[in-house]
């Protein structure tokens, strides 16, 4: 982001050369835009989209953002506005207005509009925004002190990732360890998720605490495991040192999951994080969203970095059951193309999700429904085994023996080697 003064200087310089377009986007027509959370969400979404086109973006007033770009890419800025406007209108929450200025033709009108917005800013509102930012920072500093002293083991939630390579005998591939943000908020007494800026910073603080947790409490996690980390953490100072405290054999059974939000914010740093994990011998995973998002990655400019990511997670959506036969066949072909051993269906909540996944060739699944399904299958298998032992005992007259337990960890490590 640049200042309003720098934006005016840039429009003056670009206007002399010609071939430039300025866009002023006004979010003032969106209902509840005065709510800080709504305002941040709307402006951040647009700034991320605009940032892929131009670096010359300025916050002019309370609800106005201006962008300057070449005429060749100005259409992409207009598309970003149209996408947001469609979302707002579909929800019946008003509309987003945008005005386009072609330079140098509209240079004077643009300068007058910018000066009117900046000059007309309410001092009380500006003071309120400064106060909000100051309070957010003070709150973050207090949270950092609390998190640094906190034992987060009680907040860590475990969920298994299962491999259905043998559908009747699924096995645990890894366990995902995540911090419950709801329980953290209750512990801190702060509604972290309701403040996007604070949420962003707190998740980065938690990354470091999670890494320390893994280093010092590794004995609690004998199986392969997965953790969600921010790109900034992977590329930050100290990550290599912390990871270096894990034994080399544990590198083989560690998965670091990277978020879609971090990739959207900056694809270059996201790619660098994937490559850094590859260099350190750590498996990587990525939340690709839905099937359309995964297909776009495979067929788009991301194909190269896609090859370096070990696991691609797709979120279960019940509307997938409404896909046509041709669309389902396309999903199945996509899974086969990427590799069934790399695609994970996450948040699978019931048997229909499991059946859909198996129908399109997905063998890796995660979710409460999957955990319950596997637990039920294992109970039935134990019952069948016990019944066989009792029948054999009656036939031979011997006392029934306890079924042999598999060697802990060995099968998982063999399975996990990619």
């Amino acid at each position: 982001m640049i200042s309003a003064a720098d934006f005016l200087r840039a429009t003056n310089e670009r206007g002399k050369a010609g071939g430039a377009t300025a866009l002023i986007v006004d979010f003032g027509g969106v209902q509840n835009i005065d709510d800080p959370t709504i305002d941040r969400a709307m402006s951040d979404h647009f700034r991320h989209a605009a940032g892929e086109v131009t670096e010359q973006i300025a916050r002019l007033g309370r609800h106005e953002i201006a962008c300057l770009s070449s005429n060749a890419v100005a259409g992409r800025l207009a598309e970003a506005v149209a996408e947001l406007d469609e979302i707002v209108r579909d929800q019946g929450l008003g509309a987003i207005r945008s005005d386009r200025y072609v330079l140098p033709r509209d240079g004077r009108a643009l300068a007058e509009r910018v000066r009117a917005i900046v000059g007309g800013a309410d001092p009380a509102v500006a003071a309120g925004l400064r106060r909000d930012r100051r309070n957010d920072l003070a709150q973050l500093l207090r949270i950092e002190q609390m998190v640094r002293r906190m034992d987060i083991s009680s907040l860590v939630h475990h969920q298994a990732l299962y491999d259905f390579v043998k559908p009747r005998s699924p096995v645990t591939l890894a366990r995902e360890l995540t911090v419950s943000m709801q329980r953290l908020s209750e512990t801190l007494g702060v509604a972290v998720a309701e403040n996007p800026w604070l949420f962003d910073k707190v998740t980065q603080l938690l990354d470091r605490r999670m890494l320390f947790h893994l280093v010092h409490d590794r004995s609690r996690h004998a199986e392969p495991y997965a953790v969600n980390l921010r790109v900034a953490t992977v590329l930050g100072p100290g990550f290599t040192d912390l990871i270096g405290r894990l034994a080399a054999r544990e590198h083989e059974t560690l998965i670091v999951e990277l978020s879609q939000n971090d990739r959207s914010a900056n694809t270059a740093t996201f790619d660098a994080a994937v490559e850094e994990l590859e260099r350190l011998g750590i498996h990587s995973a990525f939340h690709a969203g839905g099937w359309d998002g995964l297909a776009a990655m495979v067929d788009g400019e991301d194909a190269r970095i896609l090859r370096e990511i070990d696991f691609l997670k797709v979120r279960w959506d019940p509307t997938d059951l409404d896909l046509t036969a041709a669309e389902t066949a396309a999903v199945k072909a996509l899974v086969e193309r990427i590799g069934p051993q790399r695609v994970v269906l996450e948040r699978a909540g019931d048997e229909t999700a499991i059946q859909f996944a198996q129908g399109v060739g997905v063998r890796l699944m995660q979710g409460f429904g999957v955990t319950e399904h596997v637990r039920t299958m294992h109970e039935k298998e134990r019952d069948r085994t016990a019944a066989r032992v009792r029948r054999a005992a009656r036939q031979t007259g011997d006392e029934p023996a306890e079924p042999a337990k598999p060697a802990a960890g060995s099968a998982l490590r063999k399975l996990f080697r990619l």
Side-chain angles (χ1 to χ4, degrees), residues 26-38:
D26 184 359
F27 295 99
V30 178
Q31 291 183 27
N32 300 327
I33 195 64
D34 291 327
D35 184 291
T37 301
I38 300 299

Side-chain angles (χ1 to χ4, degrees), residues 159-163 171-175 255 344 364-366:
Q159 187 175 72
L161 168 61
Y162 294 100
D163 190 336
V171 294
T172 303
L173 177 67
R175 294 194 178 276
I255 307 171
V344 180
L364 304 181
M365 296 178 231
Q366 181 180 8

Side-chain angles (χ1 to χ4, degrees), residues 39 43 57 74 86 90 175 189-190 192 224-225 240 248 250 260 266 293 299 319 373 416:
D39 177 61
S43 59
I57 307 171
E86 182 180 2
D90 284 347
R175 294 194 178 276
V190 178
V192 176
Y225 59 101
T240 302
E250 292 167 354
Q260 193 175 45
N266 192 319
D299 297 323
T319 60
H373 173 85
F416 198 77

Side-chain angles (χ1 to χ4, degrees), residues 2-263:
I2 60 176
S3 68
D6 288 338
F7 181 81
L8 277 176
R9 279 193 290 271
T11 58
N12 184 49
E13 294 172 1
R14 296 283 293 273
K16 293 176 181 177
T21 295
L23 193 72
I24 295 183
V25 185
D26 184 359
F27 295 99
V30 178
Q31 291 183 27
N32 300 327
I33 195 64
D34 291 327
D35 184 291
T37 301
I38 300 299
D39 177 61
R40 284 194 188 99
M42 298 292 292
S43 59
D44 286 351
H45 184 96
F46 176 71
R47 288 205 325 266
H48 287 157
E52 298 179 0
V53 178
T54 178
E55 296 180 355
Q56 294 174 317
I57 307 171
R59 185 77 181 244
L60 300 181
R62 189 176 181 184
H63 302 310
E64 295 90 353
I65 295 178
C67 304
L68 180 65
S69 71
S70 66
N71 291 341
V73 296
R76 292 174 60 185
L77 294 175
E79 290 172 2
V81 176
E83 179 189 45
L84 269 177
D85 185 54
E86 182 180 2
I87 294 172
V88 171
R89 289 179 185 272
D90 284 347
Q91 299 296 320
L93 297 176
I96 298 173
R97 175 187 170 187
S98 64
D99 295 297
R100 190 169 180 169
Y101 300 85
V102 178
L103 303 176
R105 185 192 66 193
D106 302 324
R108 178 172 296 180
L110 172 64
E112 290 175 355
R113 174 80 185 280
V114 172
R115 291 191 182 101
I117 294 172
V118 176
D122 187 342
V125 172
L129 292 174
R130 287 194 297 273
R131 186 169 57 252
D132 288 344
R133 290 194 294 270
R134 187 169 60 247
N135 291 342
D136 285 349
L137 180 58
Q139 202 166 44
L140 176 66
L141 294 175
R142 287 195 298 272
I143 290 174
E144 190 278 333
Q145 289 182 317
M146 296 171 70
V147 169
R148 179 153 38 95
R149 296 192 296 264
M150 182 185 298
D151 177 8
I152 68 167
S153 59
S154 62
L155 304 177
V156 175
H157 173 71
H158 300 223
Q159 187 175 72
L161 168 61
Y162 294 100
D163 190 336
F164 281 71
V165 64
K166 295 180 179 179
R168 291 177 61 86
S169 303
V171 294
T172 303
L173 177 67
R175 294 194 178 276
E176 182 175 357
L177 312 180
T178 56
V179 173
S180 168
M181 293 304 293
Q182 179 178 350
R183 292 177 63 185
L184 177 68
S185 296
E186 292 170 355
T187 302
L188 298 175
V190 178
V192 176
E194 295 179 10
N195 185 324
W197 182 87
L198 195 60
F199 182 85
D200 176 75
K201 304 306 178 188
V202 169
T203 52
Q204 293 186 44
L205 292 177
L206 285 174
D207 279 1
R208 191 166 183 83
R209 291 297 297 123
M210 176 61 85
L211 290 171
F212 276 114
H213 170 73
L214 293 176
V215 168
H216 295 294
D217 299 325
R218 184 65 182 93
S219 59
R220 303 185 189 183
H221 314 298
E223 296 175 307
Y225 59 101
V227 294
N228 294 271
L229 296 181
R230 302 291 304 276
V231 161
T233 300
V234 174
L235 298 178
F239 178 73
T240 302
D241 292 339
L242 272 174
I243 292 298
R245 299 185 191 181
L246 297 175
R249 62 182 178 82
E250 292 167 354
H251 285 207
E252 296 178 357
T253 55
L254 171 61
I255 307 171
V256 169
E257 300 182 8
L258 303 174
S259 76
Q260 193 175 45
N261 288 339
D262 277 351
R263 176 176 171 269

